[in-house]
């Protein structure tokens, strides 16, 4: 069975963690357009050179170039059983192009899972994050507190709250995410490929919910 999968989730919804777990469980790669662009540039492929020219000119890499990279990547042996797309598609035209590509390659259509977490919970998750400015050690006031409040376990440094994780910034990120993702959820909703799962609770339970949403069974 081939699994071509897109996870959607607001900042703090745990999308990255769940993507890693699904990739490991199913033995499929995570395909990130950022990674593909960097690799194509490094290898100096035709598409890499094209992409480089746009980036050197300060322009966005056009969809057809990105789709070309995705096609190359999906053609590799490790992606024969599927792939999890990361950071792509971002727009409806990209989503349409991806659908077209998968059909052209004779691959199974993409399935989309939106991980839903209430804004209050996201605020708790992101707003509780702290880090050490000296060694970047991550902490969380509730889920992973340091031994001494406000101090790094490793070096005793004063822990900080990143500007991105301040309440007003979290609100902005959440609103931006909703606005950016709405066209995609509309598109996949209309196509009947969108599933929504509750993203609260234990990581394992969320993983099972995603699996069930994708396959209608708890094991796979
Ligand atoms: Zn430290």
């Amino acid at each position: 069975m081939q699994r071509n999968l897109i996870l959607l989730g607001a900042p703090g919804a745990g999308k990255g963690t769940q993507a890693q777990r699904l990739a490991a469980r199913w033995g499929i790669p995570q395909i990130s357009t950022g990674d593909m662009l960097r690799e194509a540039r490094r290898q100096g492929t035709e598409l890499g050179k094209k992409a480089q020219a746009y980036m050197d000119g300060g322009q966005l890499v056009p969809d057809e170039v990105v789709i070309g990279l995705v096609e190359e990547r999906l053609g590799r042996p490790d992606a024969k059983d599927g792939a999890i797309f990361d950071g792509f598609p971002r727009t409806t035209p990209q989503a349409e192009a991806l659908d077209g590509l998968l059909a052209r390659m004779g691959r199974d259509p993409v399935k989309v899972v939106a991980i839903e977490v209430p804004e209050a919970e996201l605020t708790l998750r992101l707003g509780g994050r702290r880090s050490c400015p000296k060694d970047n050690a991550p902490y969380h006031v509730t889920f992973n507190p340091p031994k001494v409040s406000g101090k790094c376990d490793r070096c005793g440094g004063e822990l900080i709250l990143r500007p991105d994780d301040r309440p007003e910034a979290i609100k902005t990120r959440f609103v931006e995410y909703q606005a950016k993702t709405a066209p995609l959820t509309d598109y996949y909703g209309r196509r009947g490929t969108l599933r929504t799962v509750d993203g609260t609770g234990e990581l394992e339970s969320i993983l099972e919910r995603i699996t069930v949403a994708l396959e209608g069974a708890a094991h796979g």
Side-chain angles (χ1 to χ4, degrees):
M1 173 181 189
Q2 196 176 67
R3 298 167 166 111
N4 298 304
L5 174 64
I6 294 167
L7 294 183
L8 301 174
K15 183 172 62 125
T17 308
Q18 296 297 344
Q20 280 175 11
R21 286 162 167 247
L22 288 167
R25 171 181 279 203
W26 290 334
I28 58 178
Q30 277 181 269
I31 293 187
S32 141
T33 43
D35 289 348
M36 283 187 303
L37 281 169
R38 277 185 290 276
E39 197 185 328
R41 274 155 60 195
R42 205 173 48 235
Q43 296 181 339
T45 64
E46 203 57 40
L47 280 168
K49 284 179 197 153
K50 257 191 205 170
Q52 184 72 55
Y54 286 104
M55 285 185 281
D56 288 345
Q59 289 173 287
L60 281 178
V61 180
D63 287 352
E64 69 260 26
V65 174
V66 177
I67 276 287
L69 289 168
V70 173
E71 180 167 10
E72 268 183 10
R73 183 67 188 84
L74 287 176
R76 293 198 212 154
D78 68 335
K80 70 178 187 335
D81 294 331
I84 301 179
F85 297 95
D86 180 7
F88 174 88
R90 287 191 194 280
T91 62
T92 311
Q94 287 184 351
E96 286 167 349
L98 179 62
D99 281 345
L101 173 67
L102 293 173
R104 206 159 65 238
M105 293 180 81
R107 294 178 66 102
D108 288 352
V110 78
K111 288 182 175 176
V112 185
V113 174
I115 305 173
E116 289 205 330
V117 178
E119 189 178 345
E121 164 90 14
L122 291 174
T123 305
L124 178 76
R125 290 185 190 179
L126 297 174
R129 299 204 297 202
R130 299 290 183 275
S131 61
C132 173
K134 291 181 191 159
D135 52 27
N136 286 319
Y139 298 92
H140 192 284
V141 294
T142 310
F143 307 123
N144 179 28
K147 294 196 182 80
V148 179
S149 172
K151 306 267 189 205
C152 178
D153 289 350
R154 290 190 210 162
C155 71
E158 206 70 40
L159 300 184
I160 56 161
L161 171 63
R162 293 187 319 147
D164 251 15
D165 292 335
R166 293 183 188 283
E168 56 290 358
I170 293 172
K171 191 145 203 84
T172 307
R173 288 165 74 189
F174 192 71
V175 170
E176 278 173 0
Y177 168 78
Q178 303 279 37
K180 205 175 68 185
T181 315
L184 283 181
T185 48
D186 286 352
Y187 175 78
Y188 289 120
R190 278 198 307 276
R191 292 185 58 96
T193 49
L194 180 70
R195 304 283 178 272
T196 302
V197 301
D198 173 5
T200 61
E202 297 292 324
L203 287 179
E204 277 310 316
S205 321
I206 302 164
L207 184 66
E208 285 314 305
R209 278 177 223 141
I210 295 172
T211 309
V212 169
L214 287 170
E215 306 191 332
H219 302 282

